[in-house]
């Protein structure tokens, strides 16, 4: 979005990007295994680039380098380790923002925080003594030559399985459903190939009842179904998705229609001058980075349509 603003003729000293992580693309850095491919068109939903930003299928490092170069090219000011606490509309127009480090005022505000707020955790209790054996991503610990249980049935679960197998781990996947209906084609085929080659064990229709510490201080897992006897693992990796920052959006005053925020033309919310782009506005089409880039272009076009005086060089075909 900041790159689109620069392309529209807005000076770099009039744009600020606030990022609560210690680096850009924090979700990719934290949740993507090293060899995971960042797909331009996720789940086969084609997004033809319409703005200044566009990626092809890239490795994790290539994607991060691409964003590095964009920040440098457009001379963007990015404030890291700075979380937003509140966004308040001002009576005279614009917004006041309170962050973990200070205050800002802005004529326009664009929220592009992604859909993942924090990872979902299981309902059952996990003993504190197993904290170093239970994981919600694969960047916090290097797992090699271990007995691992992955819990989940989405794309992240499949990617975790692929990554763990590549590092010599013995992998079991527990999924509560009997069919993998949420996987994209690449991850489905990769997962089935691992199973056919005997590199992973898949327990379909399995529901974990309890996790406890065994006598060897490993994680012992019990299931509701008699078909799956209790078994101990060196590590458990959960891939259960994440919660969206709905409460944060509602606290700002954004109106919702059921579980979805109400979005008008150009991705403007019910709060005038406040825009919402990325997965939170994409619904079932979410996950495509190029689609998110296009949203930024559309939002910038909307802003320039209302304030042409600040968008001197922005032109559309």
């Amino acid at each position: 979005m900041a790159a689109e603003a620069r392309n529209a003729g807005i000076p770099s000293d009039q744009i600020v990007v606030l990022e609560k992580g210690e680096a850009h693309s924090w979700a990719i850095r934290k949740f993507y295994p090293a060899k995971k491919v960042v797909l331009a068109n996720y789940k086969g939903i084609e997004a033809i680039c319409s703005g200044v930003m566009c990626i092809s299928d890239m490795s994790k490092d290539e994607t991060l380098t691409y964003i590095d170069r964009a920040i440098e090219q457009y001379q963007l000011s990015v404030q890291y380790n700075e979380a937003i606490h509140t966004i308040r509309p001002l009576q005279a127009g614009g917004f006041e923002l309170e962050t973990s480090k200070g205050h800002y005022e802005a004529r326009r505000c664009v929220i592009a925080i992604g859909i993942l707020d924090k990872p979902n955790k299981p309902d059952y209790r996990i003993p504190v003594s197993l904290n170093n054996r239970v994981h919600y991503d694969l960047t916090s610990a290097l797992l090699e030559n271990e007995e691992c249980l992955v819990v989940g049935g989405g794309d992240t679960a499949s990617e975790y399985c692929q990554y763990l197998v590549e590092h010599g781990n013995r992998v079991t996947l527990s999924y509560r459903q009997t069919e993998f209906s949420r996987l994209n084609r690449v991850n489905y085929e990769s997962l089935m190939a691992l199973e056919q080659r005997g590199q992973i064990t898949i327990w379909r229709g399995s529901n974990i009842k309890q996790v406890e510490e065994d006598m060897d201080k490993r994680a012992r897992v019990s299931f509701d179904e008699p078909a799956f006897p209790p078994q101990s693992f060196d590590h458990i990796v959960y891939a259960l998705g994440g919660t969206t920052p709905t409460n944060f959006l509602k606290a700002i005053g954004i109106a919702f229609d059921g579980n979805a925020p109400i979005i008008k033309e150009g991705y403007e919310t019910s709060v005038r001058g406040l825009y919402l782009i990325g997965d939170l506005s994409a619904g079932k089409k979410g996950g495509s980075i190029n689609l998110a880039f296009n949203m930024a272009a559309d939002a910038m076009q909307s802003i320039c349509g209302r304030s042409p005086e600040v968008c001197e060089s922005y032109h559309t075909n």
Side-chain angles (χ1 to χ4, degrees):
M1 185 65 201
E4 292 292 345
R6 291 288 289 123
N7 186 59
I10 300 176
S12 59
D13 62 2
Q14 296 297 305
I15 305 166
V16 64
V17 180
L18 301 174
E19 167 58 53
K20 72 176 181 180
E22 61 188 52
H24 69 75
S25 311
W26 191 243
I28 290 177
R29 295 178 191 271
K30 184 170 179 61
F31 296 108
Y32 280 38
K35 293 185 179 181
K36 175 178 176 177
V37 176
V38 181
L39 298 175
N41 297 311
Y42 185 65
K43 293 186 178 179
I45 298 173
E46 186 175 8
I48 299 173
C49 299
S50 60
V52 298
M53 300 287 288
C54 187
I55 68 167
S56 58
D57 291 351
M58 295 178 175
S59 69
K60 176 179 179 178
D61 286 342
E62 287 171 339
T63 304
L64 296 177
T65 299
Y66 177 78
I67 304 298
D68 285 335
R69 290 173 178 168
I71 291 172
E72 180 180 3
Q73 175 186 351
Y74 293 104
Q75 300 176 312
L76 305 182
S77 172
V78 186
Q79 306 299 313
Y80 296 109
N81 293 309
E82 187 159 6
I84 295 286
H85 293 328
T86 59
I87 301 175
R88 288 187 291 267
L90 298 173
Q91 285 189 346
F95 301 90
E96 179 185 33
L97 295 83
E98 180 182 348
T99 76
S100 57
K101 294 184 177 180
H103 292 79
Y104 297 84
E105 287 191 7
R107 291 181 61 183
R108 299 287 187 275
C109 184
V110 182
I111 300 173
I113 54 179
I115 199 168
L116 184 64
D117 184 21
K118 57 184 179 180
N120 289 332
K121 297 185 177 181
D123 295 333
Y124 45 84
R125 176 183 172 274
I126 296 177
V128 175
S129 58
L130 292 176
N131 280 352
N132 64 336
R133 294 187 180 274
V134 174
H135 313 273
Y136 298 93
D137 63 78
L138 283 179
T139 61
S140 56
L142 178 61
L143 305 182
E144 293 182 324
N145 302 312
E146 303 272 20
E147 193 82 29
C148 298
L149 174 68
V150 176
V151 182
D155 287 302
T156 300
S158 173
E159 289 157 2
Y160 283 175
C161 289
Q162 296 169 54
Y163 175 86
L164 290 168
V165 168
E166 288 177 1
H167 285 75
N169 297 283
R170 299 169 298 283
V171 181
T172 300
L173 174 64
S174 170
Y175 183 39
R176 62 183 180 180
Q177 304 294 338
T178 56
E179 300 290 338
F180 292 95
S181 60
R182 296 187 289 130
L183 295 179
N184 67 42
R185 180 184 57 80
V186 173
N187 281 328
Y188 178 80
E189 291 177 354
S190 298
L191 187 65
M192 295 303 101
L194 288 177
E195 184 183 33
Q196 290 170 8
R197 294 195 298 265
Q199 292 178 282
I200 66 169
T201 300
I202 300 179
W203 290 346
R204 296 170 174 81
S206 61
N207 291 271
I208 296 176
K209 176 174 60 176
Q210 183 181 33
V211 174
E212 55 189 346
E213 187 179 51
D214 68 10
M215 295 180 61
D216 297 321
K217 300 187 181 301
R218 301 170 77 213
R220 185 166 179 80
V221 182
S222 301
F223 296 85
D224 287 330
E225 296 79 14
F228 306 107
Q231 184 168 330
S232 292
F233 297 90
D234 296 316
H235 296 272
I236 303 176
V237 183
Y238 287 98
L240 303 177
T243 57
T244 61
T246 300
N247 290 337
F248 172 72
L249 300 181
K250 288 183 176 179
I252 298 171
I254 295 175
F256 275 66
D257 180 8
N259 294 324
I262 295 175
I263 304 298
K264 298 184 289 186
E265 183 180 358
Y267 297 99
E268 189 176 27
T269 69
S270 59
V271 180
R272 183 177 175 83
L274 182 62
Y275 294 78
L276 182 64
I277 62 174
D279 278 357
L280 286 169
S281 296
K284 294 181 179 180
K285 297 184 293 184
S288 168
I289 294 179
N290 281 339
L291 178 63
F293 287 161
N294 290 348
M295 289 181 181
D298 291 344
M300 198 66 236
Q301 183 175 346
S302 174
I303 291 172
C304 289
R306 291 189 174 185
S307 305
E309 71 280 1
V310 300
C311 302
E312 297 172 352
S313 66
Y314 196 85
H315 302 284
T316 59
N317 295 323

